[in-house]
Amino acid sequence: MRKETKHDLPIHIILLLLGILTFYPFVFTIVTSFKDNFQFIHNFWGVTWPIHLSNYKDAWSRISRYILNSGIVTTSSVFGVLLVASVSAFTFARFDFPGKDLLFFAILSLLMIPGILTLVPSFLLVKRLGLLNTYWALILPYISGGQVFAIFILRSFIASLPEELFESARVDGASTLQTFFSIAIPLSKPILVTVAIMNILGTWNDYVWPLVTIPDGRLWTITVGIVSFSSQYSGLEMWGPMFAGYVIASIPLIVLFFFTMRYFIAGLTSGALKA
Amino acid sequence: MSNTGKISRMVLVFLVISLMLSSSMVIGAEKKVVKMYAQALTPREKLEADRWDPPKYMWTLEKEYEKLHPDVDIQFMPEIPTGYEEWLVTQMTGGTSPEIVWYQRGYIARDYQKGWFVNLTPYLNQPNPYVKGNKKWIDIFQPPVIASGTAPDGNIYMITGDIVGTGIFYNKDIFQKVGVSVPSIWSQFLKVQSKIKAAGYIPFSISMDLGGGVQLWGSWCTRELQDVLYDHKMSEIKGVKEPVKRTWKPGENLPPQVMVKAIKNGTYSPKDPEWKEMLRILKDWSQYWPQGFWALPSDDVYRLWVTGKAAMGWFGSWQNKPVRFDPLRKFEWGVFPKIPKITKDTSPYGGVDFPAMAGVGGVFQYAIASSSEKRGVLNETIDWMRYITAPQNLIPLLNDHGGFAPGTKDTKGADPSLKVYTDQMVKYGTERIEPFDSMLTREFVDNLWKLLQQYLAGKIDIEKMTDEVQKEMNKAADQLLAEHPDWAK
Amino acid sequence: MYRRESKTVWQEIIKRKQCYILLLPTFLLLLTFNYYPAISAIYHSLFDWDGANFIRYIGLGNFTNMFQDPTIPLSFLNTLKLTIASLIINLTFPLLAAVLIFHLKDMKYAYFYRVLFVIPMVVPGMVVFMIWRFIYNPTSGLLNQLLISMGLSQLTRPWLGDFDLALYAVIFVGFPWVAGTSTLIYLAGLQAIPIEILDAVSIDGASTWTRFWKIELPLIAAQIKLIVILTLIGAIQGFVNIMVMTNGGPGETTMVPGLYLYRNAMYYNKMGYACAIGTFLFLIILILTYINFKYLKSSVEYQA
């Protein structure tokens, strides 16, 4: 097992300090979710009484119909990204072929175009493909966009895996695909989880794209529902239900995080090297 | 089962589910659908968090209208408080917008040439069948109200139906404690604020931040002051002999064409003593504003006032209800009947009352998308518009919302608490020089607010500020002349 | 790695056709959903275009205008400051957190801290901005109140309205910058270090500091490079934080190209000009990333 470091207490102190500062916005969200508008205006920071559980009832009434949409869109997109990106990242990482760097850069460069410039052309494209008001209008662009980041991150990770592992598998007669599934993927679990989390957050919280590509509002995602609690007129927003909506929306995410964190286990490589 | 198998099976399941769910239900093709984005008038059910009833009257109107026209289906879109710009530009470009969209006067100049909206002038000159004895639809509106939807090409692209009032809200308890009363002239106003400041309160809550503060209050302040200070020079700027009165008559104000000419021939310039007076008065007033007012988030302006830290604030008529229903507000409040008048002892250009502290176009500002024509529902859309603008429908609709006064000539039954704003407009008229946010280009406006902010924050002096504004003004005037060569005549 | 054995490029391509087939799904998606809009954006930088129906070819006109536009150099300078600050931030705090978690001896605590730093990621950006705007509030904000109560009222500032400090105030938002994917990426990298190496080092009796500096850090060089590139890409284009916190102000002191581009596209009817600025940003990021990629190639081999 790993060597124990002698001084753990200073580590705990620093980490706890960082943790408290980092966790505060989440606490703020929860506290605010129980306030009514007037409490929020008069008291920005503190806990106020009475608490308004009805905010959750209000938030639920507006976003419950969208939860399934968010679930479907996010899950499909994340699976799609992981699938497509890991294959491509593997290819870039472990093979050499003409134009490899060029193709890789061609993919990476897509991250460098500011989003507002591509909004209208992307929208018109999706419309022309007849995908408006369907889940595909969201899922396909999310997979396509999300894979760019994912390929970039996964590639560097897979490239740093030791060559011996692949050699020995090939010597044993494994095909490319088999080395992919039995070596590359298992060893990349922590980074795959990271990519999954990034994509989950990105698609779950995305607001503008579902707003514009689902004109009939039926397949809107949860975030669009939550934003409807704000207002263009100051004083007419509904902060309490909005924050309650944020809390409700974060529950599936937190559950997902707990679930995926199990894969973030140390010592994964120890087993592989000994094989 | 191997990982691959599990994964691909799940993917397959999701694909199937989403395919099933995405096959949209076919709407009955017999009915003509008129979809409307009503913004703040969008009807909705009451939530627990609502302290007063939310707007619902659109449903009433919808029901009655559909009884009269069983072949029409009126639908309302849910509200989109954020990202409206992105939504509008994509839906209009793609032709997927609702038939009726909410719109704002400031955007007409930007968008009227894009072919997005229907030119409503011909329809406004036809009778409105829902108003007894009406020969022309346009006649039911107060002229300045409907005229605000005019684009630089002279056509009207937007139906404006309401008036938004503003007022200086004040804390009666603080006034009593400090021993002051509502001032009627500016010099008194400054004295009142000085006393309030000495007593430890913030006299006037306001923001000049770029996140909405200067766009709102900067605009309100400059438009009011400009009209007073330039009063004696209006005819000269307009290039006419007769005095330019503040009235309800259209064409009495100074639209973009006139201003661009005046800028080019020098009769209107930020170097004018009047313009500089406007800045001086604001600067002088700003000593009574919150510390760091140019970085104060706009939501905090109201917060400072309603928590009793600031004595006064300049808010819109829609703020009435939140103030009235606030159980945590610990003071009595009132609204100034008018902005304290600038007299000769404040400025040599004073002596005229301020124009009404109100503006046309609150929530009832709607444009009709050209795609409605392509979808074959244009006539139905226009008809619905005519229906809801008929005073017997419009007035209860606006009363139901409670924040805005009707902009029709017939105001029978209108909410009396908002009558003060309509009366103000009738009595004092609206400002004659088009406010900066629609006078020139959007780029000019953004730069103007930046410069105003810097000047008020003390970062640049008045000469530098007016030099820069002059530069931007010239640039904007040239750009507009290039787009409208006929304005040079 | 495979060696090049064939003589011509074409033969090589056919030999490696399996690779191209594997890349097919990615490129099919990208060509459909990403390349077309991106190329459309770059293409339109050669036009005077209002975003709708007014369009006129002006070649490099937008670019010459750009170089005469006083807002451009100012905004790029701000972006430079922001990028450098972002790089420093992303290479310190998340790395610190990841290393600290990695060094914990009890797995239970490591799990706890990982969760502690991941959950805050569900909080939407808007809420964080709202909180920080209130902290910086010149009248009743937390920061100024704190300074006053500590007797340091001369240090109070209108933070987001301070003509010199506003940009730094925006940079500081999000402190301590630990809840994010950077931490997770560093952690993933650390956990991929083979156990043998760590055991070997500790047998040699090296101190924690030496272990970190000489072994762990070089072995996560790939992740560090990754984060550098991602930070570059994000910081140079980014503008949402500026837009929400200061909207380019006070005056124009926090203007960045991304925000200027957004305004030109959405409000000024200058979509062509916006595309030109976007293309220019794209080129800058491309060059910087390429330099980073080629010349800071991290070594993949290590001594077993």
PDB file of all heavy atoms in Angstrom, chain B residues 280-307:
ATOM      1  N   ARG B 280     -23.490  69.430 -15.542  1.00  0.00           N
ATOM      2  CA  ARG B 280     -23.154  70.090 -14.285  1.00  0.00           C
ATOM      3  C   ARG B 280     -24.205  69.794 -13.224  1.00  0.00           C
ATOM      4  O   ARG B 280     -23.891  69.477 -12.076  1.00  0.00           O
ATOM      5  CB  ARG B 280     -23.018  71.602 -14.515  1.00  0.00           C
ATOM      6  CG  ARG B 280     -22.593  72.354 -13.263  1.00  0.00           C
ATOM      7  CD  ARG B 280     -22.783  73.856 -13.410  1.00  0.00           C
ATOM      8  NE  ARG B 280     -24.171  74.267 -13.478  1.00  0.00           N
ATOM      9  CZ  ARG B 280     -24.979  74.386 -12.443  1.00  0.00           C
ATOM     10  NH1 ARG B 280     -24.541  74.103 -11.225  1.00  0.00           N
ATOM     11  NH2 ARG B 280     -26.231  74.762 -12.605  1.00  0.00           N
ATOM     12  N   ILE B 281     -25.463  69.868 -13.640  1.00  0.00           N
ATOM     13  CA  ILE B 281     -26.540  69.610 -12.688  1.00  0.00           C
ATOM     14  C   ILE B 281     -26.458  68.178 -12.159  1.00  0.00           C
ATOM     15  O   ILE B 281     -26.611  67.926 -10.957  1.00  0.00           O
ATOM     16  CB  ILE B 281     -27.913  69.870 -13.342  1.00  0.00           C
ATOM     17  CG1 ILE B 281     -28.060  71.373 -13.617  1.00  0.00           C
ATOM     18  CG2 ILE B 281     -29.042  69.367 -12.477  1.00  0.00           C
ATOM     19  CD1 ILE B 281     -29.309  71.732 -14.385  1.00  0.00           C
ATOM     20  N   LEU B 282     -26.196  67.242 -13.076  1.00  0.00           N
ATOM     21  CA  LEU B 282     -26.093  65.847 -12.644  1.00  0.00           C
ATOM     22  C   LEU B 282     -24.928  65.651 -11.696  1.00  0.00           C
ATOM     23  O   LEU B 282     -25.024  64.981 -10.672  1.00  0.00           O
ATOM     24  CB  LEU B 282     -25.926  64.935 -13.855  1.00  0.00           C
ATOM     25  CG  LEU B 282     -27.215  64.583 -14.605  1.00  0.00           C
ATOM     26  CD1 LEU B 282     -26.900  63.731 -15.818  1.00  0.00           C
ATOM     27  CD2 LEU B 282     -28.170  63.850 -13.685  1.00  0.00           C
ATOM     28  N   LYS B 283     -23.819  66.229 -12.047  1.00  0.00           N
ATOM     29  CA  LYS B 283     -22.621  66.087 -11.215  1.00  0.00           C
ATOM     30  C   LYS B 283     -22.886  66.649  -9.833  1.00  0.00           C
ATOM     31  O   LYS B 283     -22.525  66.059  -8.820  1.00  0.00           O
ATOM     32  CB  LYS B 283     -21.444  66.805 -11.891  1.00  0.00           C
ATOM     33  CG  LYS B 283     -20.084  66.525 -11.281  1.00  0.00           C
ATOM     34  CD  LYS B 283     -19.599  65.146 -11.673  1.00  0.00           C
ATOM     35  CE  LYS B 283     -18.350  64.721 -10.932  1.00  0.00           C
ATOM     36  NZ  LYS B 283     -17.137  65.277 -11.466  1.00  0.00           N
ATOM     37  N   ASP B 284     -23.528  67.789  -9.825  1.00  0.00           N
ATOM     38  CA  ASP B 284     -23.828  68.432  -8.564  1.00  0.00           C
ATOM     39  C   ASP B 284     -24.757  67.556  -7.721  1.00  0.00           C
ATOM     40  O   ASP B 284     -24.587  67.415  -6.513  1.00  0.00           O
ATOM     41  CB  ASP B 284     -24.481  69.790  -8.853  1.00  0.00           C
ATOM     42  CG  ASP B 284     -24.587  70.649  -7.622  1.00  0.00           C
ATOM     43  OD1 ASP B 284     -23.650  70.593  -6.798  1.00  0.00           O
ATOM     44  OD2 ASP B 284     -25.593  71.359  -7.482  1.00  0.00           O
ATOM     45  N   TRP B 285     -25.723  66.971  -8.365  1.00  0.00           N
ATOM     46  CA  TRP B 285     -26.683  66.109  -7.685  1.00  0.00           C
ATOM     47  C   TRP B 285     -26.008  64.846  -7.164  1.00  0.00           C
ATOM     48  O   TRP B 285     -26.394  64.309  -6.129  1.00  0.00           O
ATOM     49  CB  TRP B 285     -27.811  65.776  -8.673  1.00  0.00           C
ATOM     50  CG  TRP B 285     -28.960  65.008  -8.109  1.00  0.00           C
ATOM     51  CD1 TRP B 285     -29.296  64.843  -6.795  1.00  0.00           C
ATOM     52  CD2 TRP B 285     -29.938  64.298  -8.864  1.00  0.00           C
ATOM     53  NE1 TRP B 285     -30.422  64.086  -6.690  1.00  0.00           N
ATOM     54  CE2 TRP B 285     -30.845  63.730  -7.947  1.00  0.00           C
ATOM     55  CE3 TRP B 285     -30.152  64.087 -10.234  1.00  0.00           C
ATOM     56  CZ2 TRP B 285     -31.926  62.967  -8.344  1.00  0.00           C
ATOM     57  CZ3 TRP B 285     -31.232  63.331 -10.629  1.00  0.00           C
ATOM     58  CH2 TRP B 285     -32.111  62.774  -9.689  1.00  0.00           C
ATOM     59  N   SER B 286     -24.979  64.391  -7.865  1.00  0.00           N
ATOM     60  CA  SER B 286     -24.407  63.083  -7.548  1.00  0.00           C
ATOM     61  C   SER B 286     -23.746  63.032  -6.182  1.00  0.00           C
ATOM     62  O   SER B 286     -23.460  61.954  -5.673  1.00  0.00           O
ATOM     63  CB  SER B 286     -23.402  62.657  -8.626  1.00  0.00           C
ATOM     64  OG  SER B 286     -22.251  63.472  -8.582  1.00  0.00           O
ATOM     65  N   GLN B 287     -23.511  64.163  -5.565  1.00  0.00           N
ATOM     66  CA  GLN B 287     -22.920  64.112  -4.223  1.00  0.00           C
ATOM     67  C   GLN B 287     -23.900  63.483  -3.236  1.00  0.00           C
ATOM     68  O   GLN B 287     -23.511  63.041  -2.158  1.00  0.00           O
ATOM     69  CB  GLN B 287     -22.541  65.517  -3.756  1.00  0.00           C
ATOM     70  CG  GLN B 287     -23.736  66.437  -3.607  1.00  0.00           C
ATOM     71  CD  GLN B 287     -23.345  67.822  -3.168  1.00  0.00           C
ATOM     72  OE1 GLN B 287     -22.748  67.991  -2.105  1.00  0.00           O
ATOM     73  NE2 GLN B 287     -23.666  68.821  -3.988  1.00  0.00           N
ATOM     74  N   TYR B 288     -25.164  63.421  -3.627  1.00  0.00           N
ATOM     75  CA  TYR B 288     -26.165  62.848  -2.728  1.00  0.00           C
ATOM     76  C   TYR B 288     -26.519  61.420  -3.111  1.00  0.00           C
ATOM     77  O   TYR B 288     -27.460  60.841  -2.584  1.00  0.00           O
ATOM     78  CB  TYR B 288     -27.426  63.726  -2.728  1.00  0.00           C
ATOM     79  CG  TYR B 288     -27.123  65.131  -2.253  1.00  0.00           C
ATOM     80  CD1 TYR B 288     -27.304  66.227  -3.082  1.00  0.00           C
ATOM     81  CD2 TYR B 288     -26.623  65.355  -0.970  1.00  0.00           C
ATOM     82  CE1 TYR B 288     -27.009  67.507  -2.646  1.00  0.00           C
ATOM     83  CE2 TYR B 288     -26.311  66.622  -0.530  1.00  0.00           C
ATOM     84  CZ  TYR B 288     -26.507  67.692  -1.380  1.00  0.00           C
ATOM     85  OH  TYR B 288     -26.213  68.960  -0.946  1.00  0.00           O
ATOM     86  N   TRP B 289     -25.763  60.881  -4.044  1.00  0.00           N
ATOM     87  CA  TRP B 289     -26.013  59.510  -4.471  1.00  0.00           C
ATOM     88  C   TRP B 289     -25.180  58.558  -3.631  1.00  0.00           C
ATOM     89  O   TRP B 289     -24.243  58.979  -2.949  1.00  0.00           O
ATOM     90  CB  TRP B 289     -25.673  59.365  -5.969  1.00  0.00           C
ATOM     91  CG  TRP B 289     -26.575  60.146  -6.862  1.00  0.00           C
ATOM     92  CD1 TRP B 289     -27.722  60.805  -6.533  1.00  0.00           C
ATOM     93  CD2 TRP B 289     -26.390  60.372  -8.263  1.00  0.00           C
ATOM     94  NE1 TRP B 289     -28.265  61.411  -7.625  1.00  0.00           N
ATOM     95  CE2 TRP B 289     -27.477  61.162  -8.701  1.00  0.00           C
ATOM     96  CE3 TRP B 289     -25.432  59.973  -9.184  1.00  0.00           C
ATOM     97  CZ2 TRP B 289     -27.624  61.556 -10.030  1.00  0.00           C
ATOM     98  CZ3 TRP B 289     -25.572  60.364 -10.499  1.00  0.00           C
ATOM     99  CH2 TRP B 289     -26.662  61.149 -10.911  1.00  0.00           C
ATOM    100  N   PRO B 290     -25.477  57.251  -3.675  1.00  0.00           N
ATOM    101  CA  PRO B 290     -24.716  56.329  -2.839  1.00  0.00           C
ATOM    102  C   PRO B 290     -23.236  56.341  -3.213  1.00  0.00           C
ATOM    103  O   PRO B 290     -22.880  56.605  -4.355  1.00  0.00           O
ATOM    104  CB  PRO B 290     -25.325  54.961  -3.159  1.00  0.00           C
ATOM    105  CG  PRO B 290     -26.620  55.242  -3.802  1.00  0.00           C
ATOM    106  CD  PRO B 290     -26.515  56.565  -4.448  1.00  0.00           C
ATOM    107  N   GLN B 291     -22.421  55.991  -2.246  1.00  0.00           N
ATOM    108  CA  GLN B 291     -20.998  55.936  -2.529  1.00  0.00           C
ATOM    109  C   GLN B 291     -20.722  54.875  -3.592  1.00  0.00           C
ATOM    110  O   GLN B 291     -21.255  53.778  -3.526  1.00  0.00           O
ATOM    111  CB  GLN B 291     -20.271  55.543  -1.243  1.00  0.00           C
ATOM    112  CG  GLN B 291     -18.919  56.133  -1.115  1.00  0.00           C
ATOM    113  CD  GLN B 291     -18.253  55.646   0.158  1.00  0.00           C
ATOM    114  OE1 GLN B 291     -18.644  54.624   0.715  1.00  0.00           O
ATOM    115  NE2 GLN B 291     -17.256  56.354   0.598  1.00  0.00           N
ATOM    116  N   GLY B 292     -19.884  55.229  -4.552  1.00  0.00           N
ATOM    117  CA  GLY B 292     -19.579  54.249  -5.598  1.00  0.00           C
ATOM    118  C   GLY B 292     -20.778  53.936  -6.480  1.00  0.00           C
ATOM    119  O   GLY B 292     -20.894  52.828  -7.005  1.00  0.00           O
ATOM    120  N   PHE B 293     -21.647  54.919  -6.664  1.00  0.00           N
ATOM    121  CA  PHE B 293     -22.899  54.679  -7.408  1.00  0.00           C
ATOM    122  C   PHE B 293     -22.655  54.162  -8.820  1.00  0.00           C
ATOM    123  O   PHE B 293     -23.533  53.577  -9.411  1.00  0.00           O
ATOM    124  CB  PHE B 293     -23.757  55.949  -7.459  1.00  0.00           C
ATOM    125  CG  PHE B 293     -23.078  57.096  -8.148  1.00  0.00           C
ATOM    126  CD1 PHE B 293     -23.115  57.224  -9.523  1.00  0.00           C
ATOM    127  CD2 PHE B 293     -22.373  58.039  -7.414  1.00  0.00           C
ATOM    128  CE1 PHE B 293     -22.462  58.268 -10.155  1.00  0.00           C
ATOM    129  CE2 PHE B 293     -21.730  59.090  -8.035  1.00  0.00           C
ATOM    130  CZ  PHE B 293     -21.770  59.209  -9.409  1.00  0.00           C
ATOM    131  N   TRP B 294     -21.489  54.405  -9.379  1.00  0.00           N
ATOM    132  CA  TRP B 294     -21.276  53.959 -10.756  1.00  0.00           C
ATOM    133  C   TRP B 294     -20.929  52.479 -10.816  1.00  0.00           C
ATOM    134  O   TRP B 294     -20.703  51.935 -11.877  1.00  0.00           O
ATOM    135  CB  TRP B 294     -20.179  54.790 -11.441  1.00  0.00           C
ATOM    136  CG  TRP B 294     -18.845  54.684 -10.811  1.00  0.00           C
ATOM    137  CD1 TRP B 294     -17.837  53.847 -11.132  1.00  0.00           C
ATOM    138  CD2 TRP B 294     -18.369  55.456  -9.698  1.00  0.00           C
ATOM    139  NE1 TRP B 294     -16.759  54.037 -10.308  1.00  0.00           N
ATOM    140  CE2 TRP B 294     -17.050  55.023  -9.417  1.00  0.00           C
ATOM    141  CE3 TRP B 294     -18.904  56.485  -8.914  1.00  0.00           C
ATOM    142  CZ2 TRP B 294     -16.285  55.567  -8.388  1.00  0.00           C
ATOM    143  CZ3 TRP B 294     -18.140  57.025  -7.898  1.00  0.00           C
ATOM    144  CH2 TRP B 294     -16.852  56.562  -7.639  1.00  0.00           C
ATOM    145  N   ALA B 295     -20.859  51.850  -9.634  1.00  0.00           N
ATOM    146  CA  ALA B 295     -20.618  50.409  -9.622  1.00  0.00           C
ATOM    147  C   ALA B 295     -21.683  49.702  -8.804  1.00  0.00           C
ATOM    148  O   ALA B 295     -21.531  48.549  -8.445  1.00  0.00           O
ATOM    149  CB  ALA B 295     -19.239  50.111  -9.044  1.00  0.00           C
ATOM    150  N   LEU B 296     -22.777  50.374  -8.512  1.00  0.00           N
ATOM    151  CA  LEU B 296     -23.817  49.774  -7.691  1.00  0.00           C
ATOM    152  C   LEU B 296     -24.715  48.907  -8.575  1.00  0.00           C
ATOM    153  O   LEU B 296     -25.276  49.408  -9.540  1.00  0.00           O
ATOM    154  CB  LEU B 296     -24.641  50.892  -7.040  1.00  0.00           C
ATOM    155  CG  LEU B 296     -25.625  50.522  -5.950  1.00  0.00           C
ATOM    156  CD1 LEU B 296     -24.882  49.971  -4.751  1.00  0.00           C
ATOM    157  CD2 LEU B 296     -26.425  51.753  -5.556  1.00  0.00           C
ATOM    158  N   PRO B 297     -24.837  47.616  -8.276  1.00  0.00           N
ATOM    159  CA  PRO B 297     -25.720  46.790  -9.106  1.00  0.00           C
ATOM    160  C   PRO B 297     -27.145  47.343  -9.057  1.00  0.00           C
ATOM    161  O   PRO B 297     -27.620  47.746  -8.006  1.00  0.00           O
ATOM    162  CB  PRO B 297     -25.654  45.417  -8.448  1.00  0.00           C
ATOM    163  CG  PRO B 297     -24.421  45.430  -7.624  1.00  0.00           C
ATOM    164  CD  PRO B 297     -24.210  46.842  -7.203  1.00  0.00           C
ATOM    165  N   SER B 298     -27.811  47.332 -10.191  1.00  0.00           N
ATOM    166  CA  SER B 298     -29.120  47.981 -10.272  1.00  0.00           C
ATOM    167  C   SER B 298     -30.131  47.401  -9.288  1.00  0.00           C
ATOM    168  O   SER B 298     -30.981  48.130  -8.791  1.00  0.00           O
ATOM    169  CB  SER B 298     -29.682  47.887 -11.685  1.00  0.00           C
ATOM    170  OG  SER B 298     -28.646  47.868 -12.612  1.00  0.00           O
ATOM    171  N   ASP B 299     -30.083  46.096  -9.001  1.00  0.00           N
ATOM    172  CA  ASP B 299     -31.071  45.550  -8.051  1.00  0.00           C
ATOM    173  C   ASP B 299     -30.882  46.150  -6.676  1.00  0.00           C
ATOM    174  O   ASP B 299     -31.801  46.196  -5.875  1.00  0.00           O
ATOM    175  CB  ASP B 299     -31.014  44.024  -7.905  1.00  0.00           C
ATOM    176  CG  ASP B 299     -30.190  43.352  -8.975  1.00  0.00           C
ATOM    177  OD1 ASP B 299     -30.086  43.882 -10.087  1.00  0.00           O
ATOM    178  OD2 ASP B 299     -29.674  42.267  -8.675  1.00  0.00           O
ATOM    179  N   ASP B 300     -29.666  46.563  -6.386  1.00  0.00           N
ATOM    180  CA  ASP B 300     -29.412  47.093  -5.065  1.00  0.00           C
ATOM    181  C   ASP B 300     -29.971  48.489  -4.866  1.00  0.00           C
ATOM    182  O   ASP B 300     -30.104  48.948  -3.735  1.00  0.00           O
ATOM    183  CB  ASP B 300     -27.906  47.117  -4.785  1.00  0.00           C
ATOM    184  CG  ASP B 300     -27.408  45.736  -4.420  1.00  0.00           C
ATOM    185  OD1 ASP B 300     -28.180  45.021  -3.756  1.00  0.00           O
ATOM    186  OD2 ASP B 300     -26.279  45.389  -4.788  1.00  0.00           O
ATOM    187  N   VAL B 301     -30.313  49.159  -5.963  1.00  0.00           N
ATOM    188  CA  VAL B 301     -30.871  50.501  -5.829  1.00  0.00           C
ATOM    189  C   VAL B 301     -32.175  50.418  -5.056  1.00  0.00           C
ATOM    190  O   VAL B 301     -32.414  51.157  -4.095  1.00  0.00           O
ATOM    191  CB  VAL B 301     -31.086  51.128  -7.217  1.00  0.00           C
ATOM    192  CG1 VAL B 301     -31.793  52.463  -7.095  1.00  0.00           C
ATOM    193  CG2 VAL B 301     -29.761  51.307  -7.913  1.00  0.00           C
ATOM    194  N   TYR B 302     -33.012  49.482  -5.474  1.00  0.00           N
ATOM    195  CA  TYR B 302     -34.288  49.322  -4.787  1.00  0.00           C
ATOM    196  C   TYR B 302     -34.075  48.812  -3.371  1.00  0.00           C
ATOM    197  O   TYR B 302     -34.722  49.257  -2.425  1.00  0.00           O
ATOM    198  CB  TYR B 302     -35.171  48.347  -5.581  1.00  0.00           C
ATOM    199  CG  TYR B 302     -36.476  48.027  -4.909  1.00  0.00           C
ATOM    200  CD1 TYR B 302     -37.437  49.011  -4.712  1.00  0.00           C
ATOM    201  CD2 TYR B 302     -36.754  46.742  -4.448  1.00  0.00           C
ATOM    202  CE1 TYR B 302     -38.632  48.731  -4.078  1.00  0.00           C
ATOM    203  CE2 TYR B 302     -37.949  46.450  -3.820  1.00  0.00           C
ATOM    204  CZ  TYR B 302     -38.885  47.441  -3.638  1.00  0.00           C
ATOM    205  OH  TYR B 302     -40.061  47.162  -3.017  1.00  0.00           O
ATOM    206  N   ARG B 303     -33.104  47.923  -3.236  1.00  0.00           N
ATOM    207  CA  ARG B 303     -32.832  47.336  -1.925  1.00  0.00           C
ATOM    208  C   ARG B 303     -32.448  48.420  -0.913  1.00  0.00           C
ATOM    209  O   ARG B 303     -32.906  48.415   0.216  1.00  0.00           O
ATOM    210  CB  ARG B 303     -31.714  46.305  -2.067  1.00  0.00           C
ATOM    211  CG  ARG B 303     -31.391  45.593  -0.789  1.00  0.00           C
ATOM    212  CD  ARG B 303     -30.244  44.622  -0.984  1.00  0.00           C
ATOM    213  NE  ARG B 303     -30.699  43.264  -1.137  1.00  0.00           N
ATOM    214  CZ  ARG B 303     -30.418  42.479  -2.170  1.00  0.00           C
ATOM    215  NH1 ARG B 303     -29.689  42.931  -3.148  1.00  0.00           N
ATOM    216  NH2 ARG B 303     -30.861  41.251  -2.215  1.00  0.00           N
ATOM    217  N   LEU B 304     -31.600  49.345  -1.342  1.00  0.00           N
ATOM    218  CA  LEU B 304     -31.178  50.402  -0.423  1.00  0.00           C
ATOM    219  C   LEU B 304     -32.375  51.212   0.064  1.00  0.00           C
ATOM    220  O   LEU B 304     -32.448  51.611   1.221  1.00  0.00           O
ATOM    221  CB  LEU B 304     -30.189  51.341  -1.123  1.00  0.00           C
ATOM    222  CG  LEU B 304     -28.733  50.897  -1.171  1.00  0.00           C
ATOM    223  CD1 LEU B 304     -27.919  51.910  -1.941  1.00  0.00           C
ATOM    224  CD2 LEU B 304     -28.181  50.742   0.230  1.00  0.00           C
ATOM    225  N   TRP B 305     -33.316  51.451  -0.840  1.00  0.00           N
ATOM    226  CA  TRP B 305     -34.450  52.280  -0.460  1.00  0.00           C
ATOM    227  C   TRP B 305     -35.425  51.528   0.426  1.00  0.00           C
ATOM    228  O   TRP B 305     -35.852  52.029   1.468  1.00  0.00           O
ATOM    229  CB  TRP B 305     -35.157  52.792  -1.726  1.00  0.00           C
ATOM    230  CG  TRP B 305     -36.311  53.675  -1.418  1.00  0.00           C
ATOM    231  CD1 TRP B 305     -36.282  54.998  -1.073  1.00  0.00           C
ATOM    232  CD2 TRP B 305     -37.695  53.293  -1.394  1.00  0.00           C
ATOM    233  NE1 TRP B 305     -37.551  55.460  -0.831  1.00  0.00           N
ATOM    234  CE2 TRP B 305     -38.442  54.440  -1.023  1.00  0.00           C
ATOM    235  CE3 TRP B 305     -38.375  52.098  -1.655  1.00  0.00           C
ATOM    236  CZ2 TRP B 305     -39.834  54.422  -0.913  1.00  0.00           C
ATOM    237  CZ3 TRP B 305     -39.755  52.085  -1.538  1.00  0.00           C
ATOM    238  CH2 TRP B 305     -40.472  53.237  -1.170  1.00  0.00           C
ATOM    239  N   VAL B 306     -35.755  50.288   0.021  1.00  0.00           N
ATOM    240  CA  VAL B 306     -36.809  49.581   0.745  1.00  0.00           C
ATOM    241  C   VAL B 306     -36.329  49.083   2.107  1.00  0.00           C
ATOM    242  O   VAL B 306     -37.146  48.763   2.981  1.00  0.00           O
ATOM    243  CB  VAL B 306     -37.367  48.413  -0.121  1.00  0.00           C
ATOM    244  CG1 VAL B 306     -36.501  47.174  -0.001  1.00  0.00           C
ATOM    245  CG2 VAL B 306     -38.795  48.126   0.223  1.00  0.00           C
ATOM    246  N   THR B 307     -34.995  49.014   2.314  1.00  0.00           N
ATOM    247  CA  THR B 307     -34.515  48.638   3.636  1.00  0.00           C
ATOM    248  C   THR B 307     -34.305  49.853   4.516  1.00  0.00           C
ATOM    249  O   THR B 307     -33.797  49.750   5.623  1.00  0.00           O
ATOM    250  CB  THR B 307     -33.181  47.864   3.545  1.00  0.00           C
ATOM    251  OG1 THR B 307     -32.271  48.609   2.752  1.00  0.00           O
ATOM    252  CG2 THR B 307     -33.396  46.496   2.966  1.00  0.00           C
TER     253      THR B 307
END
